[in-house]
Amino acid sequence: MKKQRHPAFDGKLALVTGAGSGIGRATALLFADLGARLVLCDRNPEGLQETARILREKGVDVLTESVDVSDWAAMQALAGRVHGKVGALDILVNNAGVATSGDFLSTPVEDWSWVFGINVMGVVHGCKVFGQRMVQNGGGHIVNIASAAGYYAAPEMSAYSASKHAVMGLSESLRLEMAEFGVGVSAICPGVINTNIVSAMRTNGAMVQSQGKVVDIYRKRNYGPEKVAEAIAEAVIHNRAVVPVSPEAWVLYAGKRLMPGVMDAVQRTRLFRRLKP
Ligand SMILES: NC(=O)c1ccc[n+]([C@@H]2O[C@H](COP(=O)([O-])OP(=O)(O)OC[C@H]3O[C@@H](n4cnc5c(N)ncnc54)[C@H](O)[C@@H]3O)[C@@H](O)[C@H]2O)c1
């Protein structure tokens, strides 16, 4: 995609959560090139300031807000400040997210609450606090970052997969409801993207030993977050519903629909080999 002003973004107000790293940062940088005015949020102030610094070096001024998307009161307060200062959003990207891995029996309930609080309720909070004003304003676009794990549930990822399946369900339902108000809703489903997510992941069971290997796989795969940012921008422009990003995300998307039994058999064999004493 050409990194130049585009009518779907030029002068439009966009808010990106989790903009202090990875996909969120890449999205903020691309949206700025496309001409958007930006509000950037993250719970990590250092990452957020680094994204803002890169943008200011490019001559783009942004509003930054340190906020935890899982905190309902903080998200309501954020919306109050944003609406008061700059008005209704045209584009909302609910991107902030975390990962968990490990077999179900080893994963504590606290980790389920943590990942659901951020990946599911964070998205719910974003849609709630900004959606109403979009409707009143006559339209807009909400982008929710789900995952290939949102339609294909691999083993040892039950909590993360369940959270991303929830984001898919929320997005698909909201898309149908919001259509009559001129608000588009897209669910983006990346595969293996080289960001900080796996080094920040909470692991349990056998996955505790494997985290370094997983970090290495993501690094060597080296599929950049910029490609996800482009898919996000295209989703806004064309009002796409569900967008797998990366070859593996497409393979899982097609495989799950066309040959679910084969996909499960492959996973079982892989797991059996790994867990065999
Ligand atoms: N990297 C991948 O392979 C991949 C694949 C599929 C989906 N995703 C999804 O993409 C999104 C972005 O992840 P990423 O890969 O860029 O990871 P990342 O770790 O590089 O970036 C995530 C950002 O979200 C922020 N964040 C985390 N919890 C937050 C909270 N409670 N409130 C506010 N900010 C918070 C972090 O501080 C960080 O800056 C996530 O929703 C993730 O689940 C990533």
Side-chain angles (χ1 to χ4, degrees):
M1 125 174 273
K2 285 189 186 150
K3 290 184 182 176
Q4 60 189 38
R5 290 182 174 275
H6 186 286
F9 291 89
D10 203 8
K12 299 283 188 323
L13 182 64
L15 183 145
V16 182
T17 69
S21 174
I23 294 168
R25 176 176 290 165
T27 302
L29 299 185
L30 178 61
F31 278 18
D33 287 338
L34 300 175
R37 296 177 294 135
L38 290 168
V39 183
L40 305 181
C41 307
D42 205 290
R43 70 167 172 197
N44 169 11
E46 288 81 30
L48 190 58
Q49 287 317 316
E50 177 58 12
T51 306
R53 189 194 61 74
I54 298 168
L55 282 162
R56 286 187 187 120
E57 264 185 18
K58 287 155 71 92
V60 179
D61 201 19
V62 294
L63 191 61
T64 54
E65 289 279 354
S66 287
V67 68
D68 179 342
V69 295
S70 69
D71 182 336
W72 172 231
M75 287 296 280
Q76 287 175 288
L78 168 73
R81 288 193 298 277
V82 170
H83 290 145
K85 276 188 203 162
V86 280
L89 299 182
D90 298 297
I91 302 162
L92 166 65
V93 183
N94 287 307
N95 162 76
V98 289
T100 49
S101 71
D103 63 281
F104 176 78
L105 296 178
S106 304
T107 303
V109 163
E110 290 73 22
D111 285 8
W112 276 83
S113 299
W114 179 68
V115 74
F116 266 64
I118 297 168
N119 290 8
V120 183
M121 294 315 295
V123 176
V124 171
H125 294 161
C127 294
K128 274 267 183 205
V129 298
F130 294 110
Q132 185 70 44
R133 279 293 288 270
M134 276 186 177
V135 168
Q136 285 163 357
N137 208 34
H141 201 102
I142 296 174
V143 179
N144 294 331
I145 309 304
S147 168
Y151 48 73
Y152 185 78
E156 296 181 281
M157 290 182 70
S158 56
Y160 183 73
S161 284
S163 76
K164 293 301 187 178
H165 273 68
V167 174
M168 294 297 283
L170 162 64
S171 305
E172 289 178 12
S173 175
L174 196 60
R175 180 177 172 87
L176 296 171
E177 283 185 30
M178 288 291 206
E180 68 173 295
F181 304 114
V183 178
V185 180
S186 303
I188 309 297
C189 304
V192 173
I193 314 298
N194 188 15
T195 68
N196 294 324
I197 196 151
V198 281
S199 42
M201 174 169 76
R202 283 194 188 177
T203 52
N204 291 286
M207 284 307 294
V208 174
Q209 308 296 332
S210 311
Q211 187 164 6
K213 267 192 222 158
V214 178
V215 170
D216 219 35
I217 290 168
Y218 273 63
R219 194 177 47 76
K220 285 190 182 136
R221 169 79 179 86
N222 200 22
Y223 194 93
E226 303 76 24
K227 292 182 181 160
V228 184
E230 288 193 10
I232 293 169
E234 297 278 359
V236 173
I237 293 167
H238 302 291
N239 189 18
R240 295 197 169 125
V242 175
V243 184
V245 189
S246 78
E248 63 276 8
W250 276 105
V251 167
L252 294 173
Y253 189 68
K256 177 80 181 179
R257 270 150 195 79
L258 302 175
M259 43 179 190
V262 174
M263 302 288 285
D264 285 357
V266 170
Q267 287 289 7
R268 267 194 224 108
T269 314
R270 191 185 66 85
L271 197 64
F272 177 71
R273 278 211 200 102
R274 203 167 71 69
L275 297 181
K276 216 169 50 167

